[in-house]
Amino acid sequence: MTGLAVRCRRVLHIYRAEGGDVVALSGVDLDIAAGEKLALVGPSGSGKSTLIALLSGLMRPSAGQVRIGPVDIGRVSDAELARMRGTDLGVVLQGARRNLLPYASVLSNIWLAQRRAVQVRPADVERPERILSLLGLVGMGHRRVRDLPPGAAQRVAIAVGVAASPGLLLIDEPTSRLDREARDEVLDALDTINRERGTTIVAVTHDPDVGARLGRAVTIRDGRVGSEGREGREFAVVASDGTVQLPPEVLENVPPGTLLVVEQTDGRLSLLIE
Ligand SMILES: Nc1ncnc2c1ncn2[C@@H]1O[C@H](COP(=O)(O)OP(=O)(O)OP(=O)(O)O)[C@@H](O)[C@H]1O
C-alpha cells in the first residue's frame, strides 16, 4: 500500500504506575505527510518510545488525537487495531533479533510476517524474493537468522517490518551498535523502501547523522515537540495551544517565571527580557 499520513493533536499519555502516575507525553502536535521520512530524536525519557508505541497502535493515547491515514487510533475498535498492526503498520523494535525467529531462515521470517496481510489484502503483498532485493539481501533467503552479522540482521528485521507492505514503518534505533558500513547499508535500505513504495518512515534515533540523513528530525523534549531540524537548520515549533519551547541553551539563562515581552514587527518576532 502507499504511504500513510500521521496527524497528532494535543496528544497526552499517562502511565499509571505504583509509585505515582507518569506523564510521558504532554501535548504532542505533529504532522507527517504520506511518504515522508522523519527521525524522532531527544534526550532519554523524553517520550520518543511512547510516541512510537501510540503510532504503532500498541497503546491508545490518554487524551488527544492520533490519526494514521483515515483512522483515529483512540476511537477504532480493538479488532480493527489488531488488523492494522498486521497489515498497515510495520514495527521494528530496538535490537534486530527481538523482531526475528533466530532458528528460522530469513525467508521463513518474511513469510510469517506476511500471513495476516495475505488473508486481508493479498494483492498488496509482494513476493519475499522482491523484499530481499529491496533490502540488499539477495542470496541470503535460506540463511538462518542467528548466523547473520548485525548489519544483515537489522536489514532482515526491516524486511520483516515491511513484509506486509505497510503504509507506515516505525523503527526504533535502526543503526545502534552497527559499524559505519552496516549503518550506511541500513540507511540505504530505508531510502529504497521509501522511494520505491512511498512508505512513510518514522525512526527513533540517538544518532544525529541518521536524523540529518532522513531529512527531518523532530526533537521530543519533556513530552512535547521541542524543536525541528530541516536541512541543517533548527527551528522552534509553535504548538496548537500557542506555546513554543525555548532552546535548552537559552532556557539556562531564563528561569521559570521570567517575564518576557513579545514584539512582532515586519515578520520579525522578538522576545525581550524586562
Ligand atoms: N511502562 C511504563 N510505566 C511507567 N512509566 C513509563 C513506562 N514507560 C515509560 N515510562 C516513563 O515515561 C517517560 C517517557 O519514556 P519513553 O520511554 O517514552 O522515553 P524515551 O524518549 O523513549 O527514552 P529512551 O531514549 O531512554 O528510550 C519516562 O519518564 C519513562 O520513565
Side-chain angles (χ1 to χ4, degrees):
M1 81 185 298
T2 53
L4 288 169
V6 174
R7 178 184 159 97
C8 298
R9 282 293 173 276
R10 299 195 181 196
V11 174
L12 187 91
H13 195 77
I14 300 173
Y15 291 105
R16 307 278 173 206
E18 269 188 24
D21 295 348
V22 179
V23 181
L25 297 177
S26 58
V28 171
D29 292 301
L30 181 63
D31 286 288
I32 307 170
E36 198 170 14
K37 286 179 294 177
L38 175 141
L40 287 178
V41 299
S44 194
S46 57
K48 305 178 295 294
S49 301
T50 303
L51 185 54
I52 284 279
L54 294 178
L55 298 183
S56 61
L58 291 172
M59 302 190 303
R60 295 171 194 259
S62 307
Q65 188 188 60
V66 176
R67 192 173 267 276
I68 310 287
V71 176
D72 184 336
I73 291 287
R75 290 171 183 262
V76 76
S77 69
D78 288 346
E80 173 62 4
L81 207 52
R83 185 202 63 78
M84 286 179 74
R85 283 204 300 266
T87 54
D88 303 349
L89 305 172
V91 182
V92 183
L93 304 172
Q94 186 173 358
R97 290 173 208 276
R98 283 175 66 202
N99 301 278
L100 303 169
L101 293 174
Y103 294 101
S105 69
V106 170
L107 277 172
S108 302
N109 273 276
I110 294 174
W111 285 323
L112 279 171
Q114 290 183 322
R115 268 188 321 181
R116 191 73 185 261
V118 166
Q119 293 164 356
V120 179
R121 48 170 174 69
D124 278 350
V125 180
E126 277 181 313
R127 286 184 308 110
E129 290 74 13
R130 168 81 188 120
I131 295 171
L132 292 181
S133 133
L134 261 181
L135 286 139
L137 294 166
V138 172
M140 289 195 185
H142 296 289
R143 289 186 59 182
R144 273 204 280 192
V145 161
R146 64 165 193 181
D147 301 329
L148 296 174
Q154 181 61 284
R155 279 181 288 136
V156 176
I158 297 172
V160 164
V162 299
S165 301
L168 173 63
L169 175 67
L170 302 154
I171 175 161
D172 203 348
E173 296 289 358
T175 58
S176 65
R177 288 187 238 125
L178 297 184
D179 63 29
R180 190 165 198 86
E181 191 185 345
R183 191 187 74 164
D184 287 344
E185 284 171 354
V186 165
L187 292 174
D188 287 347
L190 291 178
D191 273 346
T192 307
I193 292 160
N194 175 258
R195 194 178 53 246
E196 298 211 359
R197 285 187 169 176
T199 311
T200 310
I201 298 180
V202 180
V204 169
T205 181
H206 281 93
D207 183 343
D209 289 348
V210 176
R213 173 85 185 257
L214 293 181
R216 183 179 172 201
V218 170
T219 302
I220 305 294
R221 214 179 285 126
D222 291 330
R224 316 191 77 178
V225 172
S227 60
E228 182 167 327
R230 287 192 190 209
E231 289 157 13
R233 290 185 71 195
E234 195 69 8
F235 297 90
V237 184
V238 181
S240 62
D241 62 0
T243 56
V244 177
Q245 281 197 23
L246 296 174
E249 66 278 8
V250 173
L251 211 49
E252 276 174 23
N253 305 317
V254 186
T258 303
L259 298 183
L260 301 170
V261 177
V262 182
E263 275 187 8
Q264 191 177 9
T265 45
D266 297 334
R268 234 187 139 75
L269 200 63
S270 313
L271 299 178
L272 306 172
I273 301 177
E274 277 282 279

